[in-house]
Amino acid sequence: MPGAQDTVQRLAARYRAFADNEAKDSSALYEAFARAIAGSEAVLSFVATLPAARQQPNLLLAAVRHLYGVARDADHLIDIIRANPAPIRALMLARTTQTNEPARCAVLLPVLARLPQPLALLEVGASAGLCLLPDRYAYDYGGGTRLGPRPPGDLPLPAFPCAITGAVPVPTELPTIAWRRGLDLNPIDVRSAEDTAWLQALIWPDQEDRAGRLQAALAIARRAPPVVVRGDLLADIEEIMAQAPADATLVVFHTAVLAYVTPADRSRFAGIMHRSGATWISNEAPGILPSIAQHAPAPPARGRFLLAVDAQPVAWTGPHGQSIDWFGP
Ligand SMILES: C[S@@+](CC[C@H](N)C(=O)[O-])C[C@H]1O[C@@H](n2cnc3c(N)ncnc32)[C@H](O)[C@@H]1O
């Protein structure tokens, strides 16, 4: 068992690593906040009282934002946490980091659109299910390549910008989706104000474009909410796959999910996918499925996700769906 001081030092390193590797270049505010937490023994001692799975920087920062709004500066943040440990702790125990980023549809679309249509879409780790609606949003792949539902409908469409390099098979039409299901340990309800406020709190404060597009996607989802079943990706996936209509191409996909399970469970899940007969699309950090990543070229930059179809890597993608660097066939 590590001593209390070891834990505080380990947490300081973790929050510094978050500042260096995740927040730097994305959010000046969260970079400063994470560095301030890494330097505050009082806040680190508070975080150390939480279970290991609830000590993440993203969870703490989202909890503070959800309860008290965005702190003015790093000193203000530290003051808020020191003054309010009980409510922050309660929220960090009640919630998890379930960021639902509909912009990730932009990186799935080139793969989805070239499969035999119609599709039966099953998303593992779906959160609120916003990535189950790729046919209801608009996309801008640059160079005048735009795509969206026709007719566009009466709600404002989020238009996801996605910068592309390589021979991306940019679709000219949106996929036809005959059936969709999500699976999640803890489904988020798009009609619940409390749930969707938590999704908003998970978006970093200097990324207001993402926040606006999330609101637009939620409004679209509320019209006809995707069904997200409560369950576990190993225990329940086969039962849900069996419910898909036989006359559609079954696609099982996941983005930013397998990091939440152990490496042994990731391998078990990959085994289920190999045996399933479904098309399997994974969009995860490369360290999550190393047996796939070993067949990919070097990424163009740090922090990219690896997009793979049936365990064959095809592209590096921006972790929030903001880019595709295609190297596959
Ligand atoms: C970071 S969110 C990603 C949500 C969505 N895939 C996206 O890209 O916007 C990860 C989701 O995986 C879910 N999750 C984690 N472990 C799971 C498991 N064992 N079975 C099912 N869902 C799980 C979490 O509840 C959470 O909603």
Side-chain angles (χ1 to χ4, degrees):
M1 276 288 278
Q5 198 50 37
D6 288 348
T7 307
V8 163
Q9 277 174 11
R10 182 183 51 74
L11 284 171
R14 182 171 183 182
Y15 276 72
R16 265 196 302 276
F18 174 85
D20 290 340
N21 303 330
E22 297 187 48
K24 193 167 185 288
D25 303 331
S26 294
S27 167
L29 203 56
Y30 270 19
E31 182 187 353
F33 284 5
R35 289 197 199 290
I37 294 168
S40 166
E41 184 140 359
V43 173
L44 294 173
S45 300
F46 159 68
V47 177
T49 65
L50 289 153
R54 301 300 168 104
Q55 295 174 345
Q56 301 134 287
N58 247 339
L59 184 59
L60 173 58
L61 292 168
V64 174
R65 183 178 184 187
H66 185 76
L67 292 168
Y68 305 105
V70 180
R72 280 190 308 278
D73 54 31
D75 289 342
H76 185 210
L77 176 85
I78 300 297
D79 289 346
I80 292 173
I81 300 172
R82 293 191 67 174
N84 303 284
I88 294 172
R89 181 186 168 81
L91 187 56
M92 291 176 75
L93 291 174
R95 291 282 183 187
T96 54
T97 50
Q98 290 194 269
T99 308
N100 199 186
E101 181 47 81
R104 291 181 179 133
C105 290
V107 308
L108 301 172
L109 211 58
V111 177
L112 296 177
R114 63 180 187 175
L115 293 169
Q117 309 286 311
L119 306 179
L121 279 189
L122 199 173
E123 184 182 10
V124 168
S127 183
L130 298 179
C131 295
L132 281 165
L133 311 175
D135 51 337
R136 297 199 197 150
Y137 309 135
Y139 305 88
D140 182 350
Y141 289 100
T145 309
R146 290 169 193 221
L147 194 64
R150 279 188 296 259
D154 59 334
L155 288 172
L157 281 176
F160 298 114
C162 184
I164 59 174
T165 68
V168 182
V170 176
T172 51
E173 286 190 24
L174 294 173
T176 305
I177 300 171
W179 179 89
R180 45 192 127 212
R181 282 287 178 285
L183 170 64
D184 201 286
L185 280 182
N186 181 36
I188 293 261
D189 180 354
V190 295
R191 290 185 163 151
S192 152
E194 184 65 18
D195 274 10
T196 56
W198 177 244
L199 286 186
Q200 282 290 343
L202 284 162
I203 292 194
W204 297 1
D206 11 23
Q207 300 183 346
E208 288 308 318
D209 288 355
R210 281 180 65 205
R213 291 190 290 262
L214 174 65
Q215 282 304 339
L218 283 167
I220 287 171
R222 268 183 223 113
R223 280 273 170 94
V227 176
V228 181
V229 177
R230 186 179 297 276
D232 173 74
L233 60 83
L234 282 181
D236 302 303
I237 182 77
E238 284 166 304
E239 188 184 332
I240 301 181
M241 282 195 292
Q243 296 166 12
D247 54 357
T249 304
L250 176 58
V251 181
V252 179
F253 71 96
H254 48 91
T255 79
V257 173
L258 292 191
Y260 292 87
V261 302
T262 63
D265 283 351
R266 291 172 206 158
S267 298
R268 285 188 197 104
F269 180 77
I272 296 175
M273 287 299 101
H274 287 307
R275 292 189 298 276
S276 70
T279 296
W280 172 31
I281 304 176
S282 61
N283 186 48
E284 301 281 351
I288 297 300
L289 291 168
S291 59
I292 295 180
Q294 66 176 343
H295 301 296
R302 217 168 41 176
R304 293 289 209 275
F305 280 8
L306 184 61
L307 181 69
V309 183
D310 293 332
Q312 299 301 316
V314 296
W316 292 105
T317 64
H320 293 130
Q322 67 273 46
S323 64
I324 307 175
D325 297 286
W326 191 271
F327 54 80

